[in-house]
Structures are given as C-alpha cells and as structure tokens.
Amino acid sequence: MSKQPTLAANPETEEDQDTVRAAFARLYSDGRAYADAEIERQKLRAGIVGSGVKDAVIFGAAGFLIAISGLIAFLVGLIITLQPHVGAGWATIIIFGSSLLVALLLLLLAKTRIARMKKAVQS
C-alpha cells in the first residue's frame, strides 16, 4: 500500500495567513489614519493661506484708498497754490488737464506693455 499525503491544514501556514491578514489590516488602518491626518493638514494650510490672502486684500485696499486720498489732497493743494497766479477756474482746469495727460500717458504705457507681453507669449 502506498501512502498518499493527507491534505490536512498546516497550522504554520494558517498562522502565517493570520499574520499577513493582520499586517494588511494594520497597513490599511495606518494608511487611512495617514490620509485623514494629511487631509486635516491640507485643510489647515488652506485656512492659513485664506486668512493671509484676506488680510493682504484688506491692507492693500486700505493702502490704495490712502494713496488715492493723498493724491486728491496733492491735487487740491496744487489748485490752491496756482489760484493766486491764474485764478480759481484756470487753476482747476490746468490741474485737471495735467492729471488727464498723465493718466493718458500711463494708459499708453500699459497698452504697450500688454502688447509686448502678448507678442512674447504668442511666439
């Protein structure tokens, strides 16, 4: 009679499978915990960036308004300075025309810069 091997469960193999299952379960739970922590970290970073951008916009707007107020005060001062020499009406017209001329020159400079940028981007 020849002996055939029995197909009984090998206890070492079963323990190895349990260990592998446990390792994969730990790996999954650790990966999940890492992903959750990373999501929270990115939320925190987004909150910090959002707060910084909001503050920068507020400070920038306040600075812009103060600069415009200073420009208006400067132009009014120029009108008051010119008033004794040419009269109130002419002083206003001179300052207004000069302001428009400066604004026109700045807009033309901006237009040429935009055209130069478009040309550089297209080529």
Side-chain angles (χ1 to χ4, degrees):
M1 272 186 158
S2 74
K3 273 191 160 180
Q4 290 190 3
T6 59
L7 297 176
N10 187 354
E12 292 178 9
T13 307
E14 204 170 287
E15 282 181 18
D16 289 344
Q17 286 179 350
D18 286 341
T19 306
V20 170
R21 281 189 196 122
F24 276 117
R26 282 193 315 270
L27 179 65
Y28 175 77
S29 67
D30 289 348
R32 184 72 182 217
Y34 176 77
D36 290 341
E38 187 65 24
I39 288 169
E40 290 301 316
R41 179 176 170 261
Q42 295 302 328
K43 284 181 185 177
L44 178 63
R45 287 182 66 195
I48 291 170
V49 168
S51 176
V53 167
K54 180 187 74 168
D55 291 346
V57 167
I58 290 171
F59 292 139
F64 179 75
L65 289 175
I66 290 172
I68 293 296
S69 299
L71 180 63
I72 291 170
F74 174 71
L75 294 175
V76 169
L78 285 177
I79 291 172
I80 292 171
T81 302
L82 283 177
Q83 183 179 355
H85 302 290
V86 293
W90 283 108
T92 303
I93 291 171
I94 291 170
I95 298 303
F96 179 71
S98 301
S99 298
L100 286 181
L101 182 63
V102 169
L104 179 65
L105 289 173
L106 290 172
L107 289 173
L108 288 173
L109 284 172
K111 180 183 173 189
T112 57
R113 295 293 167 101
I114 290 172
R116 187 184 312 165
M117 178 200 56
K118 284 182 179 179
K119 186 177 177 182
V121 169
Q122 288 176 353
S123 59

